Amino acid sequence: MRTSGGGEDANLAPGTRFDHYEIEAELGRGGMGTVYVGRDLSLERKVAIKVLQTESTPGGVREQRFIREARAQAQLASPRIVQIYFVGHIAAAPAEAGGTPRPPRLYFAMELVEGASLEAVVGERGPLPPEEVRGHAIQIVEGLRDAFRAGFIHRDVKPSNLLLAEGGYVKIADFGLAKSHDDDVGLTQDGAIVGSPLYMAPEQCRGAEVDFRADMYGLGCTLFHILAGGPPFKGTNALQLIALHTTEKPPRLEKLAPHVDPAFTSVVHRLLAKEPADRFASHDDLLDALHAAAPGSAPAAGFFTRGMAVGIDCVIAGILIWALGWPGIFVHLAYVTLGHWRFGQTVGKYLMRIRVSMTGGGRVPLGRALLRTLLALWYPFLLGATILWSQGWGSLIATIERLYAIGDSRTVVLGMVVNSALLSVVFGAGLLLAAIIPTKRAVHDLIVGTQVTYTLAPVASGSSRGGSPSSVGKSRGAGSR
């Protein structure tokens, strides 16, 4: 039985022992090192052992990154992330006849995931069913959220770093490129491009500062890959891929995978937005969008329910205008806008148990919430435009002055009621489109890109908050490849 061994790129033979570990078999090789199945002799359990390929400079950047990967994962106590157990050195081996001594090599022992990477699963099975992918996505986002809360951004989210354990549970591996909030500038210099070109966010491609939204882009590329069978961009070299990520729109997923639910497709394309600000504002927002994308989990609100919500809000508007006069109008508009932005609801929508969100899920941005409010006031704008076009600025200003001079808030309330009644025509026009657009979106929803759905909805069968199990082959995966 061997007691130590290993040189540059040399295999560790089965039976090789170091510290309290023993090598059983090789699992695979990656850019940083080789991964083996091993046994922890002290605890009598199987582990994965990653051994760093020898480099000429001890303590160099590769060794520092290797140690940082182990320490980063060791700090992440998450069921969605591969756990690290131990870091050590394999002792130097004496020189063989005519050869040179084999230097010591860094290694770390980690949780052995019995399964395969998502890349291997797609390679074996082809594109995965959308609901299975959505379940995996929820688990991945939960893991990335746990890492972010612990102070880390992964920066290398891709199918080969996502391990699918038996039972359908996903584990995130390989934090070798992870960036902490207090990162060592010696390991991640300004302008340095790090990541995997097939899955890198545009800001990563430019060497710019990145945050958690870079991981969202990598997740978008990953979901695209496992839904469509390949990543969104393909090129012959890294430079071409970088150019595609930074300048070209991704192919439309609905053309490559038309069986994917439109709500889920919209989530994926939002993740692939070129600008980080156009992705999701938080992991929680993304999780909300993924849950809302379950088929049948959030049915569109009907005309009657939405009309009742509008009626309740009209009462609130009337009270405000009655109490405050003209300023009450602006208070009401601010209340509607901020309610849709911050909570997705006004009081009327809350009582009717419906909510406004983006069609791809997630909270409505403030700018779009304001635009939605203004579009809902189409009638007074149309009336003003008609007066302006037919009679000119003078008549328009005179009409406004006469309205302001009325002083009787009840007259203004009547105008608001009439406007709301006419607004219902817009809702009705949106509902007439339901034959073509099943989401029952009103005209202003279509323009702004929002939807109104019920908040108390049955969860689609086969989906769960923790993801859906899947059938996976018996091939083994480890914490890093």
Side-chain angles (χ1 to χ4, degrees), residues 97-123:
T100 57
R102 295 172 180 171
R105 300 171 67 184
L106 270 172
Y107 78 91
F108 60 75
M110 57 189 161
E111 174 185 5
L112 177 66
V113 179
E114 296 282 358
S117 71
L118 285 178
E119 181 178 57
V121 173
V122 173

Side-chain angles (χ1 to χ4, degrees), residues 27 35-36 48-49 82 110-113 163 173 476-481:
L27 269 178
V35 181
Y36 300 88
I49 299 173
V82 174
M110 57 189 161
E111 174 185 5
L112 177 66
V113 179
L163 307 180
R476 288 172 175 166
S480 184
R481 294 294 178 93

Side-chain angles (χ1 to χ4, degrees), residues 234-304:
K234 298 178 182 178
T236 57
N237 56 61
L239 289 178
Q240 186 179 20
L241 286 168
I242 286 173
L244 291 172
H245 280 295
T246 54
T247 62
E248 296 295 322
K249 291 183 178 181
R252 297 304 302 178
L253 181 59
E254 56 265 35
K255 293 184 178 179
L256 298 175
H259 59 289
V260 179
D261 188 272
F264 190 20
T265 295
S266 184
V267 172
V268 175
H269 277 287
R270 186 170 174 185
L271 290 170
L272 292 172
K274 299 297 182 188
E275 295 298 326
D278 293 331
R279 300 167 207 157
F280 292 89
S282 69
H283 294 97
D284 287 333
D285 278 357
L286 175 53
L287 285 171
D288 287 344
L290 287 169
H291 286 296
S297 66
F303 173 75
F304 176 78

